[in-house]
Amino acid sequence: EDLPLIEELLRQFRVDTVFHLAAQSIIGTANHSPLATFDTNIRGTYLLLEACRVTGIPRRIVVASSDKAYGVHPILPYTEDFPLLGVSPYAVSKVCTELLARSFAETYQLPVTICRSTNVYGPADLNFSRIVPGTFLSLLQGEPPVIQSDGTPIRQLIHVEDLVQGYLRLAEQAEQFAGQAFNFGGAPPIQIRELVERLVAVAGLTDQLPPKVLQAPRLDHQVDAQVLSTAKASTILDWQAEVALDDGLAATWTWYRDHLPALLPTLGPSLGLPAPD
């Protein structure tokens, strides 16, 4: 959110390619602090794009959006021509992010493209409000993982390595497809309850720590099912997800099992965990 600093960095390092991934991406936090979310996700985006425009240095810009920008549609999967109907603070911030990217692309011929991805998972994600790291944290603490809903919402996950490849493919052709959005979805869609059961299974704890389903009432802004069509990315960018869900979850569990116990004493205060003995 510091325009002079962004301009200085672009000039100092002659930045050729910009990946705009910085955002408030935790939906619960965004709901609790909408103004901070709008400052980071909306103002942060237009300042970065303006710095790119003024300096004229970057030749490729990729802006990260989200499947949440689509909001709720009765037809699955979502294709890139679906209207953006997101209403929660986070979703609205991503809709605005996309409109800003399109505005700069059309008005100033800025070489910016948009990546809409599904839920990302993989090693080293320490945002424990998310389902994969949150479940693994519970398991490592010897607690049953908690599913807030009835477990029936459907989600699609993409491994971080697959998404990185998508970012790179998109950057390579940003000038050709300026102003356009591309979906990046990963594994086949899965119900939340089945996903958590798979997470427990890859940890080898199915018999000891079965998930606890709270059956919490669904909030108005929550989406029952979100699935992205990746036909455009496959056809135009020659991209497809390579990491199978079970393989990705198993590798991710290995990372948390090997690294998280050592990190917990440091992370404890921020997570609200008790101090270690």
Side-chain angles (χ1 to χ4, degrees):
E1 297 175 42
D2 187 334
L3 181 60
L5 176 60
I6 300 172
E7 292 181 9
E8 177 186 342
L9 292 172
L10 292 176
R11 291 191 174 100
Q12 179 180 352
F13 296 101
R14 305 300 299 176
V15 175
D16 178 81
T17 305
V18 173
F19 296 94
H20 178 35
L21 313 182
Q24 166 50 260
S25 60
I26 304 302
I27 294 176
T29 302
N31 289 341
H32 186 264
S33 304
L35 296 186
T37 299
F38 295 152
D39 276 345
T40 300
N41 295 3
I42 300 174
R43 184 167 179 264
T45 295
Y46 67 67
L47 290 179
L48 174 62
L49 294 176
E50 174 66 359
C52 293
R53 182 188 75 85
V54 169
T55 60
I57 297 172
R59 298 191 299 113
R60 295 177 287 262
I61 306 161
V62 176
V63 170
S65 184
S66 166
D67 57 355
K68 305 301 180 291
Y70 283 113
V72 179
H73 292 271
I75 299 173
L76 296 175
Y78 298 172
T79 59
E80 287 84 353
D81 58 353
F82 277 34
L84 303 181
L85 304 178
V87 295
S88 71
Y90 173 74
V92 166
S93 76
K94 286 302 182 181
V95 173
C96 292
T97 292
E98 293 205 22
L99 291 174
L100 289 166
R102 287 175 52 197
S103 176
F104 274 80
E106 295 292 335
T107 306
Y108 306 111
Q109 290 71 57
L110 202 67
V112 53
T113 54
I114 301 159
C115 168
R116 296 176 187 153
S117 70
T118 54
N119 298 293
V120 187
Y121 77 99
D125 182 359
L126 301 180
N127 291 303
F128 293 104
S129 62
R130 293 175 175 156
I131 188 107
V132 174
T135 297
F136 284 153
L137 174 63
S138 295
L139 296 176
L140 286 168
Q141 293 179 308
E143 301 172 352
V146 175
I147 300 173
Q148 297 290 335
S149 68
D150 61 3
T152 61
I154 294 172
R155 294 293 182 265
Q156 189 179 28
L157 274 70
I158 183 170
H159 192 274
V160 62
E161 292 182 5
D162 282 330
L163 183 56
V164 167
Q165 290 303 313
Y167 286 142
L168 294 174
R169 295 285 179 87
L170 198 51
E172 290 168 354
Q173 303 190 50
E175 293 172 281
Q176 184 178 353
F177 298 106
Q180 292 194 36
F182 288 78
N183 287 340
F184 292 90
I190 185 173
Q191 285 191 336
I192 293 296
R193 181 164 189 162
E194 182 185 349
L195 172 61
V196 174
E197 289 172 348
R198 288 202 194 185
L199 295 171
V200 176
V202 299
L205 297 169
T206 300
D207 294 332
Q208 298 97 311
L209 296 171
K212 181 180 180 181
V213 182
L214 296 186
Q215 303 276 351
R218 197 73 51 83
L219 300 177
D220 290 340
H221 66 271
Q222 291 179 325
V223 181
D224 285 331
Q226 283 192 311
V227 182
L228 297 185
S229 166
T230 57
K232 182 178 180 181
S234 176
T235 301
I236 296 178
L237 304 177
D238 192 27
W239 174 92
Q240 60 183 3
E242 301 288 347
V243 181
L245 183 59
D246 285 338
D247 294 339
L249 295 179
T252 302
W253 162 251
T254 298
W255 188 93
Y256 283 104
R257 183 197 63 198
D258 294 346
H259 293 87
L260 197 56
L263 293 173
L264 282 178
T266 302
L267 295 173
S270 64
L271 299 175
L273 301 177
D277 294 334

